[in-house]
Amino acid sequence: MDLQKNKDLVYEEVARAIHQANRPESSVAIVAVTKYVDSDTVAQLVDLGVQHIGENRVDKFLDKYEHLKDKNVTWHLIGTLQRRKVKEVINLVDYFHALDSVKLAKEIQKRAQYPIKCFLQVNISGEESKHGFKPDELDEVLEELSSYDKLKIVGLMTMAPIDATERELNYIFKQTNDLRQSLKERNIKNMPFDDLSMGMSRDFPIAIQNGSTFVRIGTSFFRE
Ligand SMILES: *Cc1c(COP(=O)(O)O)cnc(C)c1O
């Protein structure tokens, strides 16, 4: 595996997608999802200039964090978080991408030492297997969360089904951005709703076309 080459290619492909969408170069952050590799490989990636590192599981997050905590890394926890693990990890993360229940929010509120930047995960496609709030639940959820001062809701996160067509991907990502915009217009305290976490190796160009500001890319960094 040629890490330098893979990294350059990912950055080039993302830059091309941003350009095609007529957006400013700096408007999309690339989160390298490192669940497939060990800490030494992540250290190499950081030395190549990758700043945003994402893990989907708490144990792996802590492992990488421990190894790399002297480096300049912005840390993303991108996967489902069990309530009993919140206290181990929440004060180490810069962004938590998978807030998917009010009970979890309540636990974060209890354990966080400062406002944690969170994405609300939304399930636009309605797939039963997917985590996330349904759009019509959000009114009630925001009402509850508006009193939680240890959460800063920076935006929405979504995951498209693996077998989604290009047309479906455009629909899901556009719906998510429209929803984010309508929530932003409510001007709720601690909920700027400026960001969108969407797009993975197979679908990030379409996510960028539809306004994504954080793409979560794993496989493409580590291909042979
Ligand atoms: C693994 C993972 C990714 C990255 O997916 P790739 O297809 O490997 O790019 C993104 N987001 C989440 C939540 C993941 O678990």
Side-chain angles (χ1 to χ4, degrees):
M1 178 175 77
D2 186 339
L3 209 51
Q4 172 87 62
K5 193 171 143 210
N6 287 352
K7 184 246 171 189
D8 289 347
L9 207 55
V10 169
Y11 277 60
E12 254 174 63
E13 288 167 354
V14 169
R16 193 179 313 131
I18 296 172
H19 182 73
Q20 278 170 0
N22 279 314
R23 299 178 52 199
E25 179 101 37
S26 62
S27 61
V28 182
I30 300 172
V31 179
V33 177
T34 53
K35 63 190 179 194
Y36 311 106
V37 296
D38 61 17
S39 298
D40 287 339
T41 309
V42 185
Q44 284 174 42
L45 209 54
V46 171
D47 291 339
L48 290 174
V50 174
Q51 193 200 330
H52 296 274
I53 299 295
E55 279 288 335
N56 67 331
R57 293 179 49 133
V58 172
D59 51 348
K60 289 189 165 194
F61 179 96
L62 294 173
D63 181 42
K64 264 97 178 192
Y65 183 89
E66 193 54 38
H67 275 79
L68 279 86
K69 63 179 177 225
D70 297 332
K71 294 188 185 280
N72 178 24
V73 172
T74 303
W75 292 99
H76 298 259
L77 184 61
I78 61 174
T80 313
L81 175 58
Q82 290 172 297
R83 268 182 291 158
R84 62 185 171 83
K85 297 205 171 163
V86 168
K87 61 177 179 297
E88 290 175 50
V89 74
I90 202 67
N91 290 296
L92 307 178
V93 312
D94 293 295
Y95 289 87
F96 173 50
H97 291 240
L99 182 56
D100 61 359
S101 77
V102 171
K103 283 180 174 172
L104 178 58
K106 203 170 274 183
E107 181 67 13
I108 295 173
Q109 169 67 19
K110 184 171 157 194
R111 304 292 182 177
Q113 290 154 6
Y114 55 89
I116 308 295
K117 296 195 218 46
C118 297
F119 289 88
L120 291 183
Q121 185 169 355
V122 290
N123 181 353
I124 298 286
S125 62
E127 268 189 304
E128 284 299 329
S129 61
K130 283 269 186 298
H131 288 269
F133 296 107
K134 298 190 182 70
D136 63 9
E137 292 176 316
L138 286 176
D139 275 342
E140 216 174 310
V141 171
L142 294 188
E143 173 83 37
E144 173 69 26
L145 265 50
S146 62
S147 63
Y148 291 17
D149 62 347
K150 294 294 186 351
L151 281 81
K152 180 175 178 182
I153 309 296
V154 296
L156 299 179
M157 179 275 219
T158 203
M159 306 235 300
I162 302 186
D163 58 356
T165 63
E166 193 173 326
R167 192 190 156 91
E168 287 163 343
L169 289 169
N170 268 304
Y171 176 81
I172 290 166
F173 293 148
K174 180 170 188 306
Q175 290 288 309
T176 308
N177 195 7
D178 289 351
L179 184 58
R180 178 200 62 77
Q181 184 61 35
S182 72
L183 298 173
K184 178 176 178 58
E185 282 162 11
R186 296 194 193 180
N187 289 314
I188 309 171
K189 194 165 169 273
N190 297 329
M191 301 193 188
F193 282 111
D194 285 319
D195 285 306
L196 278 176
S197 170
M198 53 189 205
M200 302 166 48
S201 293
R202 65 174 179 274
D203 56 18
F204 70 80
I206 300 177
I208 289 172
Q209 194 67 44
N210 288 284
S212 177
T213 62
F214 287 86
V215 289
R216 309 179 311 270
I217 299 181
T219 313
S220 298
F221 274 105
F222 308 111
R223 54 198 162 195
E224 288 306 315

